[in-house]
């Protein structure tokens, strides 16, 4: 008997992992290499770092505006991460997924767990894949956090302690990718996306 054609639906790619592991660097590389992959742009109360642009890296908003959006259920998930608030806007994500697009959410481990619940409760019509990025070693992670020079030493040490705790949750993910070289980590994620699209007959 002929199989019924499956409805075209989007793929949600959740990339998570400890702070400083290289999530934004690798995701940016992936977006550059594959123009069919879109980025979910989060809202945050964190002030922009040098070089970050509103609407490109984040939507930089006030605490008042953030609270209003939480109250209006405008976020798929939101979390306080290292003193600032971050949230994934829901409506644009739903729109892109309904069009059959592949969209990447780069979130902390709390965000990934919340998205997993959301998907499991079938509140989102899309397939989702959860990818955990890990550093080649804890020493390398410490080095990268320091190299970024965006936080002072106390914050770096705090983030490093949190990162070591966060590494414990990795078995809950579908894939674990080691961020050894940016290009090869992005290539591995690209391969995962391609295989997941095949598996679920997505476009
Ligand atoms: P995250 O988004 O996970 O907090 P970032 O993407 O900001 O991490 O990366 C933290 C630091 O590590 C940055 O200075 C970045 O340039 C560097 N970095 C990321 N990936 C690599 C890599 N594969 N090799 C060397 N440095 C890296
Ligand atoms: P940063 O301030 O370094 O850009 O991000 C800090 C942490 O917040 C990172 O682990 C990043 O992945 C995470 N993050 C960014 N956007 C979101 C979001 O919308 N939701 C959640 N839960 N975490 C986010």
């Amino acid at each position: 008997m002929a199989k019924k054609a499956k409805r075209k639906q989007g793929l949600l790619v959740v990339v998570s992992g400890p702070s400083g592991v290289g999530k934004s660097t690798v995701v940016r590389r992936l977006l550059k290499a594959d123009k069919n992959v879109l980025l979910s742009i989060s809202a945050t109360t964190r002030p922009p770092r040098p070089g970050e642009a509103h609407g490109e890296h984040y939507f930089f908003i006030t605490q008042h505006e953030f609270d209003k959006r939480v109250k209006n259920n405008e976020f798929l998930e939101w979390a306080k991460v290292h003193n600032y608030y971050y949230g994934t806007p829901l409506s644009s994500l739903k729109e892109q997924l309904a069009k059959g697009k592949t969209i990447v959410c780069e979130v902390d481990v709390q965000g990934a767990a919340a998205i997993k619940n959301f998907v499991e409760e079938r509140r989102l019509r899309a397939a989702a894949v959860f990818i955990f990025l890990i550093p080649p070693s804890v020493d390398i992670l410490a080095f990268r956090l320091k190299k970024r020079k965006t936080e002072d030493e106390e914050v770096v040490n705090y983030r490093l302690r949190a990162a070591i705790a966060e590494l414990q949750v990795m078995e809950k993910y579908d894939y674990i990718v080691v961020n050894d070289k940016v290009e090869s980590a992005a290539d591995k994620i690209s391969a995962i996306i391609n295989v997941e699209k095949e598996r679920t007959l997505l476009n």
Side-chain angles (χ1 to χ4, degrees):
M1 199 170 68
K3 257 191 181 174
K4 242 187 179 177
K6 280 203 181 168
R7 196 175 187 282
K8 180 177 151 187
Q9 55 172 342
L11 176 67
L12 179 61
V13 182
V14 179
V15 176
S16 193
S19 178
V21 73
K23 296 183 292 297
S24 18
T25 309
V26 171
V27 165
R28 265 158 222 292
R29 180 64 163 246
L30 171 74
L31 297 173
K32 219 171 134 192
D34 188 345
K35 299 289 176 210
N36 293 317
V37 177
L38 304 175
L39 177 69
S40 160
I41 299 165
S42 298
T44 183
T45 60
R46 168 169 77 62
R49 294 181 185 135
E52 285 185 332
H54 182 80
E56 188 189 331
H57 297 87
Y58 284 105
F59 295 108
F60 296 99
I61 61 175
T62 62
Q63 186 69 56
H64 178 73
E65 179 60 27
F66 194 95
D67 294 343
K68 205 168 85 186
R69 293 189 192 186
V70 169
K71 213 168 145 202
N72 293 337
N73 293 318
E74 290 180 39
F75 294 127
L76 189 171
E77 62 73 41
W78 63 271
K80 187 179 184 193
V81 190
H82 311 307
N83 296 325
Y84 294 107
Y85 288 84
Y86 297 80
T88 306
L90 184 56
S91 65
S92 51
L93 192 87
K94 274 188 168 168
E95 238 169 69
Q96 300 297 348
L97 289 171
K99 287 186 198 156
K101 305 276 187 201
T102 297
I103 184 154
V104 177
C105 280
E106 183 229 304
V107 292
D108 84 314
V109 294
Q110 309 169 70
I115 296 175
K116 199 158 192 204
N117 282 339
F118 203 93
V119 171
E120 281 170 2
E121 287 166 7
R122 300 190 172 277
R123 291 160 70 195
L124 205 62
R125 275 190 61 89
V129 59
F130 293 82
I131 301 172
F132 196 77
L133 206 58
I134 58 167
S137 70
V138 171
D139 284 351
I140 291 179
L141 178 63
F143 175 76
R144 287 183 189 163
L145 270 172
K146 284 175 191 148
K147 187 182 82 168
R148 196 168 63 187
K149 292 196 176 85
T150 49
E151 283 85 20
D152 62 30
E153 201 176 326
E154 196 185 325
V155 175
V156 167
N157 287 334
Y158 163 75
R159 284 193 173 205
L160 192 57
R161 280 197 300 277
I164 292 164
E166 282 166 3
L167 285 169
Q168 316 302 319
V169 301
M170 64 180 149
E171 78 254 23
K172 298 202 174 125
Y173 288 72
D174 300 314
Y175 295 92
I176 293 166
V177 169
V178 180
N179 180 17
D180 38 17
K181 291 207 162 58
V182 178
E183 196 179 1
S184 71
D187 283 350
K188 281 182 256 180
I189 296 180
S190 189
I192 292 168
I193 291 175
N194 288 334
V195 92
E196 287 292 319
K197 278 180 178 172
E198 285 301 318
R199 199 162 75 87
T200 51
L201 296 179
L202 306 171
N203 278 304

